[in-house]
């Protein structure tokens, strides 16, 4: 094996913000006052928030030190399955930071924000084209918010038909957000089991789909990294009973330019721009979760909708009486939309398709190279990710968690672990297309080495990590007596 | 393509390993009926430089200050952002990481969010604040869902002076599940009229915004007392976080749950998003909170660290029984807000709040001196309403051509308030700009 990535370096300690500073310092250049003082009535005035007073250098050192305790995609391989931790192009940051985009006020008259509206109208069109759907709303703030939007659209559709339904079918491989979003609309999730091949069988759906059921929420490709090959037939079964098909597009990165969600029979779909379209995850958001629908569901999309007048001018219209309403105060996470737009314009149709192809190539390559080392849950060609388990390591009393923690010592972010729930001890790996063969080879070598360690020196794994800022943390004790503020 | 590192030779080698003939054949298991019939119809890829030219032009077409003099707040506020905040938040160790599921390798994000939770709790006057929500409107909605869960009552009373867009988001969240909203009208002084609450017993929560949509500072203590007498929770919030550099915090006035928008805390306006949904509560409601929370923990050697905690409330564990469906939030915006609060410190934050109020009070007085009516008499922070004579609309349009946006017309949101305009002044507006505005409006 080549020299491992993980090395020991100097990690600087850093106090909590309020353990630093001295009263009277400031890290802010206070603008001079050019107006007279105008005191408020004393009974309204408080003492002010107890923030520490720090100098500019205090603040810069503090956050610079904290940042070095973090691992990002720019640091290295981040194979967190289902999260699509692909490279976030720097040009996207430049575009989002342009003063027009970052300074535009959302309540200005339309004539003063044509550029922003054009960008959004274009992006809606691009996303409709990429997914094969007819109309898009960019308003949802994240994937789960897009799911909520989609479920509300379905709810509104049935309400209009005077046909309220109470249940929704959700496979056992679904993200937890699916049942949680459905529950917000009052739907009771009906869980169905994934078949032996790792995908849904039409007869499973036929057995539960009835006229009390609003439809199905299905992730395609699913969280096992497999394309739901029977989805067209499943759609027909659901439609035949008057139901609708909701597709979670979290894993769209695998099939851009390849699959047509519209043709498959999907009625509603959400995308995660922070996954497929390269916008940064930011340590847990902000993301963006556009919702895409078929023509007949367009009237239910959130308002305002962007419309183009005959004059060519763009406008924001509230004139959609059947709309589910507003989901966010303003027009979605515009700053995130600018980044996704910039990505699509950088890639073009060919580039996006190539990205999907290489994402799938990388995942299959990992799968082939590691399937003798780790137990592969479903040994068949995968899409963007593959799911292993700790079955082979169990005889040494080494778990998925140990393997994940040991990877950190070698300089990698661990994969997603213990998800999907249908695979016991799952290690879900999604390399994405932006990782090179050399980097994958090194990661593969590392995992093979860890498998040897599991057999020969299992304690090394059980006590990992040892090279991070902290060792394993006691999460149980933290939850028992939560300390959530200092 | 510069983001794709594979050489043609490497692709061939890798295809051999996986046993496929071509990139296309990797997808051979996908049935024909699921495939696209045509290639995607998208614009041709642009070089980095061509993209810059195109985006520069698009961005330049937008009206922004200081070129335009924009006297609008209404949920998004133009404040100076220190260069340190912009630089530090861009560090890619923060920006390109995901939710800190693996704490040992994410201590930077975790400590920063713990610090955000702490500073935000001090600002809002509550015990606990979540790691963030999407925006003020969704934070309001989640607050009321919390109150509904807690009290098991199905009706909430909402001030009509909560931002109109927030109220519409709330409607979207509450209606499908069959919860009811009672709208509380407003009084002549620009404050919420609580008299509709008399005699009601089935209300889960009373919710107010202060400063409210007209900019007026609500009497939170009175409302809190009323809500509690009815066995309801008191929910209070804000769209302008900076106000609490000057005003008594909502928590100290008796709010059980506090929601707010934190965009003012160092986050660019960015056409309205992303912002920062702030949500906190007193400690008795902690386990009912939706969304992520960071807590203190000890490692194997007894060293201090931080983890995501109380996850058993959340969707990835409890699925449909979770306290919300939230997964990713606006963590990077919370990080930014913490950097901003740390940069200003208590002294800076209070001084800046005072400056905002002084400037707004100056402009308000100038309008009044020039003979325009200030319809609401209650004290305000940095926003206030002016009533213009009939026909001001034409003048408003002509001022737009002079690159002046003279407030936000309120008639769109409150049909009875024709010719009423909501003005906002922050530290970025100079006395000169304000004097010029008054001259234009008068002439």
């Amino acid at each position: 094996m080549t020299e491992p990535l993980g090395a020991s370096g100097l990690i600087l300690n850093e106090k909590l913000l309020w353990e630093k500073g001295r009263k009277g310092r400031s890290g802010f250049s206070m603008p001079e006052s050019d107006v007279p003082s105008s005191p408020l009535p004393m009974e309204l005035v408080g003492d002010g928030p107890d923030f520490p007073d720090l100098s500019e250098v205090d603040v810069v050192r503090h956050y610079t030190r904290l940042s070095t305790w973090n691992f990002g995609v720019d640091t290295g391989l981040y194979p967190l399955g289902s999260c699509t931790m692909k490279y976030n192009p720097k040009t996207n940051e430049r575009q989002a930071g342009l003063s027009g985009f970052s300074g535009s006020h959302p309540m200005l008259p339309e004539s003063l924000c044509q550029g922003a509206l054009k960008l959004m109208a274009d992006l809606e069109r691009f996303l409709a084209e990429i997914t094969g759907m007819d109309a898009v709303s960019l308003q949802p703030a994240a994937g789960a918010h897009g799911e909520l939007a989609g479920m509300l659209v379905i709810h509104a559709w049935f309400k209009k038909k005077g046909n309220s339904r109470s249940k929704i079918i959700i496979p056992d491989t679904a993200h937890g957000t699916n049942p949680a979003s459905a529950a917000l609309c009052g739907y009771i999730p009906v869980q169905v089991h994934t078949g032996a091949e790792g995908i849904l069988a039409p007869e499973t759906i036929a057995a539960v789909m009835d006229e009390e059921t609003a439809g199905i929420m299905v992730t395609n490709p699913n969280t096992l990294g497999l394309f739901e090959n029977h989805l067209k037939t499943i759609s027909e079964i659901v439609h035949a009973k008057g139901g609708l098909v909701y597709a979670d597009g979290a894993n769209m990165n695998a099939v851009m330019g390849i699959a047509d969600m519209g043709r498959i029979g999907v009625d509603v779909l959400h995308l995660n721009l922070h996954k497929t379209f390269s916008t940064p995850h930011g340590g847990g958001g902000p993301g963006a979760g556009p919702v895409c629908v078929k023509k007949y569901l367009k009237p239910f999309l959130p308002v305002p909708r962007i419309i183009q007048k005959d004059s060519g001018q763009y406008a924001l219209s509230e004139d959609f009486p059947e709309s589910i309403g507003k989901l966010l105060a303003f027009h979605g996470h515009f700053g995130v939309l600018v980044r996704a737009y910039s990505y699509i314009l950088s890639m073009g149709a060919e580039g996006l398709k190539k990205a999907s192809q290489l994402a799938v190539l990388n995942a299959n390559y990992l799968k082939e190279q590691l399937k003798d080392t780790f137990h592969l849950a479903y040994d068949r060609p995968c899409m963007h990710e593959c799911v292993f388990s700790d079955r082979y390591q169990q005889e040494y009393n080494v778990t998925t968690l140990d393997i994940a923690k040991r990877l950190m010592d070698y300089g990698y972010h661990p994969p997603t672990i213990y998800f999907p729930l249908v695979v016991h001890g799952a290690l879900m790996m999604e390399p994405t297309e932006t990782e090179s063969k050399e980097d994958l080879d090194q990661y593969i070598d590392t995992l093979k080495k860890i498998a040897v360690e599991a057999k020969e020196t299992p304690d090394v794994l059980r006590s990992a990590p040892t090279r991070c800022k902290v060792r394993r943390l006691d999460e149980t004790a933290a939850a028992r007596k939560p300390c959530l503020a200092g | 393509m510069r983001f794709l590192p594979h050489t043609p030779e490497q692709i061939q080698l890798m295809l051999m390993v996986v046993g496929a003939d071509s990139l296309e054949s990797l997808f051979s298991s996908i049935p024909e009926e699921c495939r696209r019939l045509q290639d995607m119809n998208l614009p041709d890829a642009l070089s980095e430089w061509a993209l810059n030219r195109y985006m520069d032009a698009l961005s330049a077409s937008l009206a922004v200050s200081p070129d335009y003099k924009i006297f609008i707040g209404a949920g998004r506020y133009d404040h100076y952002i220190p260069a340190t905040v912009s630089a530090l938040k861009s560090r890619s160790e923060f920006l390109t990481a995901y939710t800190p599921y693996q704490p040992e390798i994410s201590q930077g994000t975790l400590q920063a969010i713990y610090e955000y939770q702490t500073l935000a709790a001090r600002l809002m006057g509550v015990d606990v604040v979540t790691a963030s929500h999407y925006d003020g409107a969704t934070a309001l909605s989640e607050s009321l869902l919390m109150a509904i869960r807690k009290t098991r009552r199905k009706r909430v009373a909402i001030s009509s002076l909560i931002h109109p867009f927030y109220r519409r988001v709330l409607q979207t969240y509450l209606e499908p599940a069959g919860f009811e909203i009672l709208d509380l009208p407003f009084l002549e002084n620009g404050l919420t009229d609580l008299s509709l609450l008399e005699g009601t017993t089935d209300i889960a929560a009373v919710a107010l915004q202060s400063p409210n949509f007209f900019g007026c500072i609500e009497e939170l203590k009175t409302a809190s007392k009323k809500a509690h007498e009815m066995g309801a929770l008191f929910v209070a919030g804000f769209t302008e976080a900076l106000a609490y550099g000057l005003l008594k915090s909502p928590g100290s006035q008796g709010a059980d749950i506090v929601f707010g928008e934190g965009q003012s805390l160092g986050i660019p306006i960015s056409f309205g998003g992303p912002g920062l949904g702030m949500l906190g509560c007193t400690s008795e409601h902690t386990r009912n909170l939706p969304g992520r929370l960071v807590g203190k923990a000890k490692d194997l050697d007894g060293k201090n660290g931080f983890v995501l905690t109380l996850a058993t409330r959340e969707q990835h564990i409890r699925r449909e029984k979770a306290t919300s469906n939230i997964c990713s939030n606006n963590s990077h915006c919370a990080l930014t807000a913490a950097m901003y609060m740390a940069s200003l410190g208590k002294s800076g934050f209070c001084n800046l709040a005072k400056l905002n109020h002084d400037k707004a009070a100056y402009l308000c007085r100038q309008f009044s001196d020039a003979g325009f009516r200030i319809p609401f008499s209650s004290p305000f922070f940095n926003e206030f309403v002016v009533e213009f004579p009939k026909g001001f609309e034409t003048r408003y349009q002509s001022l737009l051509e002079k690159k002046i946006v003279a407030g936000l017309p309120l008639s769109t949101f409150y049909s009875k308030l024709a010719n009423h305009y909501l003005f906002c002044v922050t530290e970025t507006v100079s006395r000169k700009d304000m004097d010029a505005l008054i001259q234009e409006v008068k002439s």
Side-chain angles (χ1 to χ4, degrees):
Chain A
M1 184 176 157
T2 51
E3 192 185 8
L5 267 178
S8 295
L10 186 62
I11 297 176
L12 276 68
N13 284 313
E14 176 65 8
K15 293 176 176 174
L16 289 159
L17 272 175
W18 46 91
E19 294 168 355
K20 298 174 53 135
R22 284 283 173 275
K23 193 167 165 42
R25 271 187 200 158
S26 177
F28 184 72
S29 170
M30 189 60 61
E32 58 285 356
S33 178
D34 52 3
V35 295
S37 171
S38 179
L40 274 170
M42 275 318 289
E43 67 271 18
L44 297 175
V45 176
D47 298 332
D50 188 15
F51 297 162
D53 281 355
L54 305 165
S55 72
E56 181 162 328
V57 181
D58 288 334
V59 173
V60 169
R61 292 247 167 92
H62 181 78
Y63 286 104
T64 303
R65 287 179 187 176
L66 259 56
S67 76
T68 63
W69 309 341
N70 248 21
F71 190 98
V73 177
D74 283 5
T75 319
L77 183 65
Y78 207 126
L80 202 60
S82 244
C83 297
T84 315
M85 301 300 286
K86 62 167 74 177
Y87 170 66
N88 310 139
K90 300 299 169 195
T91 187
N92 297 352
E93 299 306 309
R94 179 214 187 253
Q95 315 309 346
L98 289 171
S99 63
F101 296 136
S102 68
S104 184
H105 196 287
M107 286 200 143
L108 288 183
E110 283 150 3
S111 60
L112 300 185
C113 44
Q114 287 296 304
L117 297 178
K118 175 190 162 35
L119 186 150
M120 291 173 70
D122 283 356
L123 183 58
E124 285 184 357
R125 200 157 34 83
F126 296 168
L127 297 179
E129 175 63 23
I130 291 166
T131 53
M133 304 296 280
D134 298 321
V136 178
S137 164
L138 302 171
Q139 204 177 107
H145 209 218
E147 286 177 26
L148 174 61
M151 293 316 290
L152 288 166
V153 164
I154 291 175
H155 189 267
W157 155 267
F158 281 112
K159 195 173 163 196
K160 189 194 170 192
K161 298 182 81 167
N163 175 1
S164 69
R165 298 189 173 199
S166 58
K167 296 182 288 181
I168 186 100
I169 302 169
I170 300 181
D172 51 6
T173 49
H175 292 109
T177 49
N178 286 183
S181 301
L184 272 168
C185 300
Y187 289 123
I188 301 158
V190 177
Q191 185 168 301
V192 289
H193 294 298
T194 298
E197 289 181 299
I199 56 174
L200 290 171
E203 49 278 16
T204 311
I205 305 308
V208 292
M209 184 63 209
D210 58 23
E211 284 170 8
E212 280 300 298
T213 304
I216 185 168
M217 280 185 105
V218 53
T219 307
N220 186 35
N222 68 23
T223 61
L224 292 165
L226 304 174
F227 195 89
E228 290 286 354
N229 282 352
H230 307 301
L231 192 51
K232 177 109 187 177
T233 314
I234 290 171
S235 300
E236 285 160 9
I237 293 167
V238 171
H239 289 152
K241 299 272 183 186
L244 294 174
V245 177
Y246 182 95
D248 180 326
N251 297 331
M252 193 70 200
N253 199 46
V255 292
M256 287 183 289
I258 294 146
D260 184 331
M261 296 297 177
R263 221 183 139 214
I264 293 173
V266 170
D267 301 291
V268 190
L269 167 132
H270 87 265
L271 294 168
N272 301 67
L273 298 188
H274 48 289
K275 296 182 181 180
T276 311
F277 296 95
S278 86
T279 76
H281 285 67
V291 61
C292 317
V293 297
K294 286 279 178 59
K295 249 191 248 106
Y296 39 88
L297 296 175
K298 194 173 164 182
F300 304 101
L301 285 176
V303 282
R305 306 267 312 129
I306 299 161
I307 55 167
Q308 196 169 12
K309 296 182 184 167
D310 294 341
S311 61
Q313 290 275 301
Y314 293 94
L316 289 164
S317 172
E318 295 274 352
D319 192 16
F320 293 86
E322 289 168 337
S323 162
I324 60 166
K326 280 176 90 70
L327 278 163
L328 209 61
F330 299 106
H331 313 305
H333 283 168
F334 181 74
V336 177
L337 306 179
V338 176
R339 290 170 172 89
Y341 184 68
S342 153
Y343 177 70
I344 293 171
L345 290 179
S346 298
M347 297 292 279
E350 229 173 279
L352 291 176
K353 184 172 180 182
K354 193 73 181 280
S356 285
Q357 290 174 330
L358 295 177
V360 172
L361 178 66
N362 275 0
N364 278 286
Y365 183 73
L366 265 193
K367 177 176 72 73
E368 285 304 312
Q369 298 286 31
L370 287 172
K371 72 180 186 187
D372 296 330
T373 311
F374 295 97
H375 171 252
L376 185 62
Y378 294 89
D379 190 3
R380 42 173 296 206
C382 65
M383 291 281 117
H384 60 293
E385 64 194 3
C386 51
V387 182
F388 296 98
S389 83
D390 57 4
R391 192 182 291 178
Y392 298 161
Q393 283 69 38
Q394 278 169 6
E395 63 175 301
Y396 315 117
N397 277 325
V398 164
T399 64
T400 285
L401 186 70
D402 301 328
I403 297 163
K405 299 297 184 193
R406 185 60 177 153
L407 267 171
M408 297 181 194
D409 281 335
Y410 283 106
Y412 294 99
H413 194 284
T416 295
I417 54 174
Y418 301 106
F419 185 85
L421 306 175
V422 293
V423 177
H424 183 81
L427 279 154
M428 182 202 216
M429 298 181 193
E430 179 179 12
T432 84
E433 71 280 8
T434 56
E435 295 304 325
S436 68
K437 180 175 178 296
E438 299 90 298
D439 289 344
L440 288 181
D441 285 338
Q442 196 174 16
Y443 175 67
I444 290 160
D445 283 352
T446 304
L447 276 163
K448 287 183 172 169
K449 186 164 179 214
I450 291 174
V452 173
E453 288 177 343
K455 189 174 172 185
E456 293 174 356
T457 52
D459 275 341
V460 172
L461 270 69
R462 289 193 283 261
S463 57
T466 55
R467 286 172 166 176
C468 299
K469 173 72 171 44
V470 290
R471 295 184 62 204
R472 283 192 209 186
L473 290 146
D474 190 346
E475 302 189 28
T476 317
R480 203 179 303 127
K481 279 184 118 181
C483 172
L484 308 172
Chain B
M1 203 318 127
R2 65 191 189 280
F3 316 143
L4 304 176
H6 301 64
T7 64
E9 297 76 38
Q10 286 181 319
I11 292 175
Q12 284 315 315
L13 276 171
M14 292 171 81
L15 283 171
M16 261 163 56
V17 170
V18 308
D21 305 335
S22 63
L23 287 174
E24 295 284 348
S25 69
L26 289 169
F27 299 88
S28 56
S29 68
I30 298 182
E32 193 285 326
E33 63 196 15
C34 299
R35 288 164 178 272
R36 287 189 76 95
L37 297 172
Q38 280 132 19
D39 286 338
M40 295 182 288
N41 179 18
L42 296 170
D44 290 340
L46 296 176
S47 70
E48 181 169 356
W49 324 112
L51 178 68
N52 287 351
R53 279 195 299 276
Y54 172 70
M55 295 296 265
D56 285 349
L58 200 56
S59 165
S61 74
L62 292 159
V64 291
S65 65
D67 186 25
Y68 275 75
K69 305 300 171 199
I70 298 169
F71 294 88
I72 292 186
R76 282 295 181 273
Y77 302 92
D78 184 27
H79 292 295
Y80 288 129
I81 299 174
T84 46
V85 172
S86 310
L88 292 169
K89 75 169 185 180
S90 306
R91 285 193 65 97
S92 63
E93 299 90 334
F94 289 130
L95 189 65
T96 71
Y98 195 34
T99 304
Y101 294 122
Q102 295 288 346
E104 300 85 355
I105 205 164
S106 318
Q107 283 299 302
T109 295
L110 286 163
Q111 180 169 330
I113 297 304
Y114 177 78
E115 290 172 343
Y116 159 77
Q117 290 175 187
T118 303
L119 298 185
R122 293 178 186 186
L123 180 70
M124 296 156 87
V126 291
D127 302 319
V128 192
V129 171
T130 69
S132 70
H133 290 263
Y134 307 133
D135 72 353
T138 61
L140 166 71
S141 306
E142 297 277 13
S143 306
L144 292 166
L145 287 171
M146 264 176 92
I148 288 167
R149 280 195 300 271
K150 180 82 184 179
T151 60
R152 297 173 185 273
R153 297 177 181 177
K154 293 194 159 182
R155 243 171 128 212
V156 292
I158 306 298
S159 161
S160 56
L161 298 180
I162 289 180
H163 196 299
F165 290 169
Y166 285 32
R167 285 184 283 127
R168 290 183 55 196
V169 172
L170 179 66
Q171 213 178 345
T172 309
Y173 269 76
L174 295 194
E175 264 184 1
F179 303 123
E180 272 179 63
I181 300 174
L182 171 69
D183 275 312
L184 302 173
F186 61 88
L187 299 162
E188 279 188 357
N189 62 2
L191 299 184
T192 304
D193 181 356
L194 300 170
S195 60
L196 272 187
L197 293 174
E198 300 300 339
T200 53
T201 51
D202 61 342
I203 300 283
V206 177
L208 257 63
Q209 174 186 316
S210 180
N212 64 31
F213 191 64
F214 295 162
C216 298
I217 301 162
E218 293 276 5
E219 289 165 0
L220 296 182
K221 211 158 196 171
T222 315
S224 151
K225 208 167 149 249
K226 240 182 197 157
H228 290 146
E229 277 166 10
M230 302 156 50
L233 296 185
F234 181 51
V235 175
F238 50 83
T239 57
E240 171 53 296
L242 186 64
Y244 291 96
L246 199 53
L247 307 180
K248 283 182 180 158
S249 68
S252 72
Q253 303 295 291
D256 303 289
I257 304 173
V258 180
F259 70 93
E261 170 59 58
Q263 175 268 323
S264 287
L265 308 173
I267 299 162
I269 294 177
S270 194
F271 205 48
L276 170 64
M278 302 176 79
L279 175 57
C281 62
T282 54
S283 54
E284 68 176 296
H285 303 294
T286 304
R287 285 176 195 267
N288 195 11
L289 273 172
R292 306 280 189 204
L293 287 165
V294 174
K296 250 188 178 165
K298 294 269 186 210
D299 82 352
L300 285 171
D301 297 333
K303 235 165 92 177
N304 284 328
F306 300 92
V307 293
L308 286 175
T309 194
L310 299 181
T312 50
R313 300 164 296 115
E314 293 188 62
Q315 46 77 23
H316 60 281
I317 311 274
R318 296 206 68 200
R319 301 177 82 85
E320 68 270 21
K321 295 191 179 66
T323 52
S324 109
N325 74 333
I326 199 168
C327 179
S328 79
N329 43 64
N330 282 18
S331 184
H332 195 253
C333 301
L335 171 83
T336 307
M339 290 171 173
Y340 181 87
M341 292 187 275
S343 297
L344 271 78
K346 177 175 178 160
S347 330
F349 200 77
C350 294
N351 290 339
L352 188 66
K354 173 94 176 71
L355 182 58
N356 270 252
H357 173 68
D358 288 345
K359 292 214 177 210
Y362 174 81
L363 182 63
C364 183
R365 216 161 34 240
Q366 299 305 307
F367 272 120
S368 177
D369 290 351
F372 297 104
R373 187 168 167 257
I374 307 299
F376 306 120
S377 57
S378 300
F380 59 88
F381 175 60
N382 67 359
E383 288 181 279
F384 59 90
V385 176
V386 181
E387 184 183 356
F388 291 106
K390 262 190 196 147
F392 180 72
E393 170 62 18
T394 327
R395 188 85 198 112
Y396 185 84
Q397 290 301 333
S398 65
L399 288 179
L400 289 181
E401 277 155 35
K402 294 186 173 180
K403 300 191 174 180
I404 296 174
V405 184
L408 178 76
L410 284 180
S411 56
T412 327
F413 309 107
Y414 302 89
S415 54
K416 286 179 189 156
L417 298 183
N419 305 311
H420 287 61
Y421 286 73
L422 177 66
F423 280 81
C424 175
V425 184
T426 70
E427 75 277 7
T428 63
V429 176
S430 70
R431 181 176 184 157
K432 210 175 115 211
D433 295 337
M434 293 190 272
D435 291 342
L437 169 71
I438 296 291
Q439 281 312 317
E440 287 291 348
V441 172
K442 265 199 321 200
S443 63

